[in-house]
Amino acid sequence: MKSFVHRGQITKVVFGSGTRAGLGGEVEALGRGRALVLCTPGQTAQAREVRGILGALTAGVFDQAAAHTPVAVTGKAVDAARAADADCLVSVGGGSTIGLGKAVALRTGLPHLALPTTYAGSEMTPILGETQGGVKTTRRLPEVLLDTVVYDVDLTLTLPPHVAAVSGLNAMAHAVESLYAQDGDPLAFLTAGEALDALAVALPAILRDPADTEARATALYGAWLAGTCLGTVGMALHHKVCHVLGGSFDLPHAQTHAVVLPHVIAYNAPAAEAAMARIGRALPGPDPAGAFFDFAGGIGAPRALRDLGMPESGIAEAADLVVRDGYWNPRPVHRDAVRDLLRRAWAGEPPSRAASDRSYDPTGARHA
Ligand code: NAD
């Protein structure tokens, strides 16, 4: 008999093409009329367009969102919101911009709307990662859940195909870890499986034809589903490894997810049979880890952490950090197994077949 707890979402979601035209109505539906638009320095053109759509509902634009949500930038954005007498926030961008919006919303209590332009999924989660003094802390805070998310596929058309590929793999990582989450529930499992199906079809199609709006829409749909899973159930070894690598070596977020995912799937395979069967439906192949490795390579994703700038000397340090804080994973996490996994990911080797064996003993493991 099934037994589970499911947490529902409170965020209003509008999805389609051209949906940004209705943004003003969404601001007004929240009873607001002075939006501070947030973006990165690279997305000021999109922010200007949104400002035009909002017209008199715009209080100003803050264009300094940065990776890893530095608290110093958040402080400036809070000052900008107060100076402009803003009564709501509109984030136009990926995880970096939406992270800033969450951080400002937490400090000001302002309602937060977003127009996501990548597949990172932050808009659907109560997770806030912030950086201060080089240290990144991540918290789950219901207060940072967004009020409204307007997905407009048109805004994703400028995402270069190689960025779409790694961003999509980042979304697939949320889905994979939701399939075997400790607090997983039937809805999350169904949602994660649908996300994998959508992204498995859409990402290669975007690489073949970057102007394929149907594929772009399918990828964004998959990203919404994957983000929803990330927001409702807990993650495991994969997200822990990527968090450590991003925090310690400043590796790029989506690319790191793309490299690490097949290796964690290999390690977790014997402890997550239902998840592996579902991954196999989305990505058929002899084994899910190998299928993911081939899929990621096929859409041009990086395969080696060394190519992302990680020093080989960092492998042992990263393994120590991954196992330092106790956290849940379907298969118990052993330092030597993590070191082995990281060494393969660093070198760009295929995921270990030996690690997928129930009898795998990482303390004496030879590399398969
Ligand atoms: P990002 O927001 O940093 O965007 C990457 C770059 O692409 C930026 O320069 C951005 O301006 C540009 N860009 C974004 N969309 C574009 C588009 N449509 N066209 C052209 N350029 C575009 O990257 P990301 O991968 O979306 O987010 C990564 C960050 O989000 C990390 O800091 C990560 O920790 C965080 N994140 C948080 C959560 C959460 O739930 N809190 C979830 C996922 C990611």
Side-chain angles (χ1 to χ4, degrees), residues 39-43 46 66-69 93-99 102 116-129 136 138-139 154-160 163 167 170 174 230-231 253-255 257:
C39 68
T40 62
Q43 287 183 276
Q46 284 178 325
H68 308 305
T69 325
S96 297
T97 303
I98 293 167
K102 288 174 168 180
T117 64
T118 71
Y119 309 137
S122 175
E123 64 280 359
M124 294 308 299
T125 82
I127 302 166
L128 174 63
K136 185 164 182 174
T138 301
R139 294 176 287 169
D154 302 359
L155 293 177
T156 66
L157 297 178
T158 50
L159 199 60
V163 182
S167 189
N170 184 195
H174 308 329
L230 176 67
H253 178 81
Q255 289 85 339
H257 276 265

Side-chain angles (χ1 to χ4, degrees), residues 179-180 189 193 196-197 265 268-289:
L179 290 172
Y180 54 62
F189 194 92
L196 290 178
D197 289 347
I265 293 174
N268 281 339
E273 283 177 19
M276 296 303 136
R278 187 62 187 87
I279 294 169
R281 272 175 55 197
L283 291 176
D287 69 283

Side-chain angles (χ1 to χ4, degrees), residues 20 23 35-56 58 60-63 90-93 115 117 155:
R20 64 194 183 287
L23 184 65
L36 180 69
V37 179
L38 308 175
C39 68
T40 62
Q43 287 183 276
T44 50
Q46 284 178 325
R48 264 199 308 277
E49 195 206 333
V50 167
R51 179 184 196 139
I53 289 168
L54 287 173
T58 315
V61 175
F62 180 86
D63 63 6
V90 172
S91 298
V92 187
L115 294 147
T117 64
L155 293 177

Side-chain angles (χ1 to χ4, degrees), residues 127-289:
I127 302 166
L128 174 63
E130 296 185 285
T131 315
Q132 187 163 29
V135 179
K136 185 164 182 174
T137 51
T138 301
R139 294 176 287 169
R140 269 188 183 258
L141 301 164
E143 307 93 283
V144 304
L145 276 169
L146 274 77
D147 295 85
T148 308
V149 176
V150 177
Y151 286 103
D152 189 334
V153 65
D154 302 359
L155 293 177
T156 66
L157 297 178
T158 50
L159 199 60
H162 66 280
V163 182
V166 290
S167 189
L169 287 164
N170 184 195
M172 290 175 100
H174 308 329
V176 164
E177 294 230 296
S178 302
L179 290 172
Y180 54 62
Q182 181 183 28
D183 55 352
D185 65 64
L187 208 50
F189 194 92
L190 289 168
T191 308
E194 174 81 356
L196 290 178
D197 289 347
L199 289 157
V201 170
L203 299 182
I206 291 171
L207 267 288
R208 281 193 298 273
D209 177 9
D212 182 344
T213 45
E214 197 59 47
R216 296 271 190 176
T218 304
L220 191 60
Y221 167 70
W224 163 55
L225 296 173
T228 302
C229 292
L230 176 67
T232 48
V233 299
M235 297 290 109
L237 177 61
H238 172 80
H239 281 74
K240 179 70 185 177
V241 168
C242 292
H243 183 83
V244 164
L245 294 176
S248 304
F249 306 103
D250 205 22
L251 303 190
H253 178 81
Q255 289 85 339
T256 304
H257 276 265
V259 173
V260 171
L261 185 59
H263 300 278
V264 172
I265 293 174
Y267 183 70
N268 281 339
E273 283 177 19
M276 296 303 136
R278 187 62 187 87
I279 294 169
R281 272 175 55 197
L283 291 176
D287 69 283

